[in-house]
Amino acid sequence: MKKHKSSNLYILAIESSCDDTSCAILENKKVLSNVAATQLIHNKYGGVVPELASRDHEKNITKVVNEALQLAQVPLCNINLLAVTQGPGLMGSLLVGCSFAKSLSIALNIPIVTINHMRAHVMAHLIESDAQKTPPFPFLCLTVSGGHTQIIKVNSPYNFELLGQTIDDAVGEAFDKGAKILGLPYPGGPEIDRLAKNGNTKKYKFSISNLNNLDFSFSGIKTSLLYFIQKQQAIDCNFITNNLNDLCASFQENLLEQLLLKIEQVVKTQNIKHVAIAGGVSANSRLRILLSDFGKKNNVEVYLPKFEYCTDNAAMIGICAYFDALTQNYANLNFAPKARFELF
Ligand code: KG4
Ligand code: ZN
């Protein structure tokens, strides 16, 4: 076992808001381990089934926590802070993580910090790691996940300003719904990303609403894709199979163009020099290329999270807890999970 300095924070963080059971151990701002059990059971249903998700969390959590402790080589008795996702997310899933964390807090007699999942996606950028740079404050963060699409000005770990957000579907949701129309398995985002690599981004154009302000609307594009596919399939029943790569590349490009357009709008009007992306869709390879190119062209520093910090993970919950512990922002043990937990 490693020896630990007692002044250090040893954080055990738990994330269970959707379909990944994750536990991370942090030593201050450094991640010692970050383990996630991804639930594959949902793939055959084309989306997350809440009841099944809760049951799998319940089955996985002890194993995942033990694995994280072992990988980090930190004994449970050395943990001096707990962190858990309080919301937003699926109620049954959140309950598993929250109850587990509360039990540990009582057993170890250590404080617990409750974390907003969407804030955590952004805060993943503050994890100390050789593999990713940390943006200075203030920076702009585009948070793109399965449930949210937000443009945030991050003034400090405790001060976030919402500049724009989706008024309907999230961009990850648009990826997933588009993929479903194309007959691809859930989650569709990574599938579209993979197939788009061999496709023509300009072959098709799917209409997307461009709102005047910094808000997004992604519900129209899936209807545009659906009607187009129905029309083409009436002529050629193999249309999707014969054009799958091009359909993915064009659909993805149209979604990403919209994200880039809004970032450009903020950068040009607000003298922003540091732009980060966060959330599941920040793993998208094309988005990472487009944003890097945008950064070079506009003299803006771009921050791409490590892949393991893009999709849901407990390391991002742990880094939030580190900053919240600095202000002693601990929770009472009578806290309850929040299925809806707005950041703003
Ligand atoms: O942040 P996340 O893991 O969970 C939520 O908090 O929602 O995001 C999940 C979303 C899903 O919609 C998934 O399809 C999308 O992120 N996603 C991607 C990629 N990887 C995950 N979308 C596009 N390209 C990817 N490579
Ligand atoms: Zn998430």
Side-chain angles (χ1 to χ4, degrees), residues 117 121 145-147 172-173 175-176 187-190 193 279-281 283-284 310-312:
H117 178 93
H121 271 302
S145 73
E173 201 176 345
F175 265 103
D176 295 338
D193 186 357
V281 182
N284 184 274
C310 292
T311 44
D312 291 348

Side-chain angles (χ1 to χ4, degrees), residues 127-261:
I127 291 171
E128 237 173 58
S129 160
D130 295 338
Q132 66 172 28
K133 341 170 248 185
T134 302
F137 299 109
F139 65 92
L140 193 75
C141 188
L142 173 73
T143 312
V144 275
S145 73
H148 293 77
T149 305
Q150 297 175 328
I151 300 188
I152 300 165
K153 190 170 171 203
V154 186
N155 295 315
S156 81
Y158 317 102
N159 185 325
F160 286 24
E161 263 176 73
L162 181 69
L163 304 183
Q165 64 183 331
T166 182
I167 59 162
D168 41 52
D169 290 354
V171 67
E173 201 176 345
F175 265 103
D176 295 338
K177 286 178 176 171
K180 203 168 183 175
I181 294 168
L182 297 175
L184 300 173
Y186 176 85
E191 282 295 304
I192 291 188
D193 186 357
R194 186 176 62 80
L195 295 165
K197 285 185 181 136
N198 298 315
N200 178 352
T201 55
K202 294 194 168 64
K203 183 142 173 208
Y204 307 109
K205 187 92 196 142
F206 302 106
S207 71
I208 193 159
S209 330
N210 183 15
L211 307 175
N212 282 334
N213 54 14
L214 292 173
D215 286 341
F216 302 93
S217 168
F218 288 115
S219 71
I221 188 170
K222 65 168 189 292
T223 320
S224 168
L225 174 69
L226 179 68
Y227 288 168
F228 177 72
I229 293 290
Q230 284 173 345
K231 208 167 124 192
Q232 297 304 317
Q233 273 187 321
I235 305 163
D236 169 13
C237 63
N238 293 321
F239 179 76
I240 293 184
T241 325
N242 292 341
N243 301 284
L244 189 57
N245 293 346
D246 294 339
L247 283 164
C248 287
S250 300
F251 182 72
Q252 171 176 276
E253 201 73 4
N254 289 174
L255 285 172
L256 301 182
E257 273 167 5
Q258 193 59 209
L259 298 177
L260 266 295
L261 201 74

